[in-house]
Amino acid sequence: MNVITTTCNVIRKKIMLLALFTLLISVAFPQEKMTVSGKVTNGETSLANVSVKVAGSNGGTTTDGSGIFKISIAKGQRLVFSYVGYEEQSVTVSDQNEINITLKIAENNAMNEVVVVGYGTKKKINLTGAVSAITGKELEGRPITNLSSALQGTMAGVTVTVNNGQPGNDQGTIRVRGIGTLGNSDAMVMVDGVVSSMNDINPGDIESVTVLKDAASASIYGSRAANGVILITTKNAKKGEAVAHYNMDIGKQSMTATPDFINSWEAATLYNEALVNEGKSPKYSDAEIQKFKDGSDPEHYPNTDWYDLFWRGSGLQQSHSLDVSGGTEKMQSYLSVGYLSQDGLVQGSSLDRYNTRFKTDLKINQRIKVSGNLAYSQQQFREPVSNIHGLDFGQLIGTLHQTGRVVPYMTNGYYGYSDEGNPVAVLKGGSNNFNKIHRLSAILQADIEAVKDLHIKPLLGYTVNMISAKSRINDLQYYDVNTGAPTIWEGPNIVASNSSFLDNLLMQLLLQYDKSFGDHDFSVLGGYSQEHNKYDYLFGSRRGYLNNALDQLDAGPITGLQNGGNASEYALQSVFGRINYTFKKKYLVEGNIRDDGSSRFAKDNRWAIFPSASLGWRISEEAFFEPARKIFSDLKIRASWGKLGNQDIGTYPYQATIVTGQNYTFGGQTVDGIAPVNGVNPNIKWETTTTKDIGLDAVLFGGMITFTGDYFLRNTDDILLSLPVANAFGLNAPVINAGSVQNKGVELTAGYHLRKHDFSFNADANISFIKNEITSLAGTGPFPNGSTIQGEGLPINSLYGWVAEGLFQSQDDIDKHASQNGMGGPVGPGDIKYRDLNKDGVIDGEDRQYLGNYFPEITYGLTMSGRYKGFDAALFLQGATDVNSFVSGRILGSLYDKNGDPTSIWLDRWTPTNTGASFPRVWNSNSQNDPAATPSSFWVRSAGYMRLKNVQVGYTLSGGFFARNKIKLRIFWTGKDLLTFTKFYKWVDPESPLGGNSYSYPMVKVNSLGINLTF
Amino acid sequence: MKNKLLIILVLSVAVCSCKKNFLDRQPLTEYSESTLWTGANDAIAACNAAYSNFEDGQWVVYMDDASDNAHNPYPWEGWQEFGNMQLLSPNSWRSKYDFTTITTCNWFLTNIDRTPMDETLLERLKGEVRFIRAYAYFQREQLYGDFPLVTKLLTTEEANAIERTPKAQVVDFILKELDSASLVLPDSYTGSDQGRVTRGAALALKARVELFNEKYTESAVTSKKVMDLGVYSLFPSYQDMFRMSNEYNAEIILDREYVEADPNQTIGLMVLAPESTPGGGWSSVNITQSLVDAYEMANGKTIDDPASGYDIDHPFVNRDPRLLQTVIIPGAEYAGIIFNPMDPNSLDYWPTYNYTGYVGRKYIHYKSDFSDLYKAGLNIPLIRYAEVLLTYAEAKIESNSIDNTVYDAIDEVRLRAGLPAVDQAKYATQAQLRDLIRRERRVELAMEGLRWYDIQRWKIGNEVMNGPVYGLRFSNIDANGNVTYTSTEHAKIEDRVFDPSKNYLWPVPQGQLDLGKNLSQNPNY
């Protein structure tokens, strides 16, 4: 059973400072004095410097190095023993001359904190690896729709990027200690010991989230731990009378930033200007522009605000979560249900999630415990789509950036049309994607104490992920704006249905032996695990339904029906062991070893061994540290080294496969064709990550201040990647063990916790500095890919392009500069001037260079919370700096005739009369200034930001009626992502996908009201 | 109880974990080399894969955007720059610098001989695949000049070290391969094999390659062989030849096949149709005034001939019938809608989508033939008998062995189109005949993807790919499609700049130069 408390968040109880007592003035009664002596311990060791006071007086003493005190006191007086981090105790002196006291460690003390680690728990003061953790309490009261994005900024070394606000698609990308590999860098997520996902978990169920950052902590999960391990532990059943919690919040989402499109007449003027810039004739006459301006003919000269017409969803969200737990000595249960409902900013986009979890612990006898953990969740996800945009919601969002010179609907109600389609009509048409995701997780485990101190712990974990998805396309008729005649028909109506089934069976056996004798504490763990994962997929579609009424396959015609299906599987097998040894509670040693096998490699490369070791020294336990103990309650330095493996590289990369579906038609019939498509390398082996870590943990003033610092160096070698290969190879590049990536950095976490009577205050801050670099691509590369590059010596996915030197101001300026003739169109004044890096007099592909890092080098978070009587308030700031991003295309506003609408930045474009402009002259088809076709530093800006991630104000009712009925009720208001401070483009969120493309759902802020009820 | 539980738990884990080969997992959806080449079915499927991407029907119709026949209005489609050469850069995304089909062919030819199967069939399949590979090389040497000649499967190291093979060597290879294919391929197929490569296709492609490489004598001989096969003849109607119901007619020597019944095997022909077309059109191939003017009068005289009877106010009257069968002109009806590029409120308004005011009609003449233009099932001809006749004539003209068979061949094409026979008095010398044959090729084969190759080999880029491109003449068009000209001015679409020192070849993609250290760029890119 996991009992967890963590440093950062828990309110410390009863911290008594010596200083406080010296200020107290006691009233002494002249009575017969006697001398009392005794020893103060914590049950294990003696405690020095414990304050021993006579209640009501200013007389007192402290214990000596062996915990002994001696004090003169009158009979009937009270002795008060207090020590930081321990609960205060008092004794009324009667006749006894000797009083021995055992102080209890205060609950929630930093000294007492326990964290979940691989296959177990550990006291934080005994940790030798790098681990960050937060508790469910810290997430409470925040309107969390997705756990991954809620973790943003909460832990040092854990970088979360969120760039989508769509209900059901708002998960964050989590990178533990930077981007570790060129392939999939996602951390492994385990819920209650079983590999899982964090997208469907009920936040109300969470007891703690632990991130294992260094190899020594994570290596016990070797085969998938290279990118860090996130352990999520759900709440456990508690003994005693049943206690229930009910949490709810209801809130409204709104956009954090809106593109600032200009009016259609301004856009038409700019379009004319762009045409003229390229030597073409303007399209719109002055009279036409006037019509756009005065709105006299809105049908033919409209000023359409697509954003306004599209984003009209309610944006309402609510969540409810109820849990009950309780039990007897023999059996305890925990039962929870949760519901989340989120309506998007656009009608037809929504998420509904239902969660339930049932956990039970059964004590069969003194030696055998079994527990079951059954969880089911269902997510219903819906989004509007259109057929001409490939059923892709993002593409549909992109059409909102089309020109406002297209009329959405005419006075007769018919839809207008451009070749981008009409997003308003699509919404009305009701075409959508609908996914139902079922997830079932069943865990059965036992703890059998076979002989004393030897525990056998078998575990069976089975998870099923079932997705049934349906895309339904309704046909839609557009009409000619003049004749009213039907023109474009978007159809035929299609129903495409698919289902996938992913199941995973984990079997695991642990043997654990813990033994202490004398100054020696041993803990030995041995284990075996195997996992089999299978994926099945089935698909079918029909088209040409009579009308839009029915959406079942059988209701559609047989002609043109399609179906398909496939399957894949993989297996993992591992043997592992861990040994912990502690000498005198101050020298800590841990060693791990793991032998992993994966079906993704050929027989000879299948197995690999991943060892790790770590050391810790609790300096504060040393005798020489005595003088400093008044300040440092605990001080530990630790160091670790370890290796981890990664095999997440597709399912059959070492096998030559010949792919079906390379079809053709002869004589009017489709014939099957088969051919190899992927290059193959049978010799691939495990990718290896080696992490070195040095850390320091300190607890000051008995827990008032906590501090953790780490320096790490993480090298990933033999990275499995498809190194680009010349087209002459003719197949997709094979996966090879080629690259090396290094991440190094520093992580600092500090906390301040104060509690006095009715008042408490906590502040927790964390900051991480991460430097990422590709150290090797096996001598190949660099590989530019549009606006990014992978190259030795550069961070992964660096920005790449030309270096802008300002704008050309005159023809003379152009003539004197290196030739830019090959850069996308005839060069003219107002065009961006690029630097001739190789000084060959010609600007070309050779003049591109590294333009910045897209992964933030510094991320930080700061939480402050306070409580006074029933009131509480919390503030959470989160941010990133030393990061660059760039924008391109439609998010800037392009100047095509129909499918791009300019934003207000273009009002400050270069013209012969506005030579000091911030932006180049406008273009239509020439691409020398275009950030997508010609990426340059001109468009790169710092994407650093600081966000007010969460702010909360609450009030708790607990007196009177509530106390009598054992009810605690908290009412709160909370805001998420309310403010963002950034120097990036003001209508583009700094976390938007690279290029700030216009195809993503905008980021949202949320205002919510809620209650927490305990009864 | 406790013992039972313990035993069950321990055993269950132990039993499951002892399963042998737990980590041996084979692909469930794909074949492997060890499960293939077991017989004729496998070999045929592997051969079919060579066809799967050997040509792209859309590419064929788009190719005229890279010539003086047409203009592409949308920069993002990637064709405009191949027309005006202004943006043409090694980063252009439209490229044929690709080896997928070639590799499939090489893979087939490497493995096929170990397949136990009927020898004749095996040789035929090899012939088909050799043809496909030769066809792929033909396109690439045309577009890029020197091109790496890869005839076996390469390692990644070999691929990255590859050099460009001189064009002449690639051409030799193509001709040799076509020769050997023509020996094993049959004259024709029936039923569900229709559409496979025939002897005629091998010879016709060979004649084309010879012609394009100034091997005129050889080309005349080879094209004569096709004519003498007795398999091919011209389809009676030019207009209806490009129609689904007339697929596999005797004029088709090779086509890219599509079928409507399988949505994955369809072609998007909406790229041709006007914007206003019900169901949607893209009008991506805007025909230029220059092509329109190339069509003769119905009397066989060119429009600049004062005796032709050409009336500038009725420019489409009494013209070569192929003009209206190939081009949708302003005021014409298409799919029940009057194509009106002069109406600012029409989807077809010329400055908006059809910059020239003319779009293609070939292939999609009968809109009602298609249930969905986006997923059409029309086969796109790649080599037609008419081309062979014109190849024969041109080869004879260029080798200066002009005789009656030259006139016969040209006449056959013209008479079918509804034009009179060649005026032998007017077209008597080599130079006169050269004019004639070049014009005839241009109009007969418009929108069939061959015009750029002709410009290339005739070295006429400077004359036809330079300067302003014009479209329709300004007019008013009423609801019935009646045109009243309002000006003598034509819409000017763009200024093209052709640099003969570089633009006859496309640039090698920059990405390939980055990877292949032994590759070189074409001159002046």
Side-chain angles (χ1 to χ4, degrees), chain B residues 155-176:
Chain B
T155 64
T156 53
E157 290 80 12
E158 288 167 339
N160 288 337
I162 205 88
E163 290 175 43
R164 295 172 68 188
T165 310
K167 174 173 164 142
Q169 222 171 302
V170 180
V171 169
D172 278 353
F173 173 80
I174 294 168
L175 295 176
K176 226 176 282 165

Side-chain angles (χ1 to χ4, degrees), chain A residues 439-472:
Chain A
R439 191 181 169 89
L440 179 75
S441 155
I443 304 167
L444 184 64
Q445 62 191 117
D447 183 336
I448 302 154
E449 194 171 12
V451 295
K452 191 168 163 30
D453 294 331
L454 176 68
H455 292 260
I456 302 172
K457 297 178 175 173
L459 180 146
L460 197 68
Y462 181 65
T463 54
V464 185
N465 233 342
M466 251 181 319
I467 303 176
S468 60
K470 188 173 269 178
S471 295
R472 181 206 170 122

Side-chain angles (χ1 to χ4, degrees), chain A residues 565-587:
Chain A
N566 60 55
S568 64
E569 61 178 346
Y570 68 83
L572 296 166
Q573 221 170 359
S574 313
V575 184
F576 49 90
R578 176 169 71 196
I579 182 160
N580 280 291
Y581 169 65
T582 307
F583 178 62
K584 285 195 165 171
K585 308 231 180 285
K586 52 189 175 188
Y587 306 112

Side-chain angles (χ1 to χ4, degrees), chain A residues 143-195:
Chain A
I144 295 168
T145 52
N146 192 293
L147 179 62
S148 56
S149 36
L151 294 179
Q152 193 169 36
T154 55
M155 289 176 273
V158 180
T159 310
V160 181
T161 313
V162 186
N163 55 29
N164 197 317
Q166 188 189 352
N169 259 341
D170 53 351
Q171 57 271 23
T173 315
I174 299 186
R175 296 285 173 265
V176 177
R177 293 190 158 174
I179 305 173
T181 173
L182 297 163
N184 183 359
S185 294
D186 290 339
M188 167 188 182
V189 176
M190 301 192 91
V191 176
D192 291 334
V194 174
V195 174

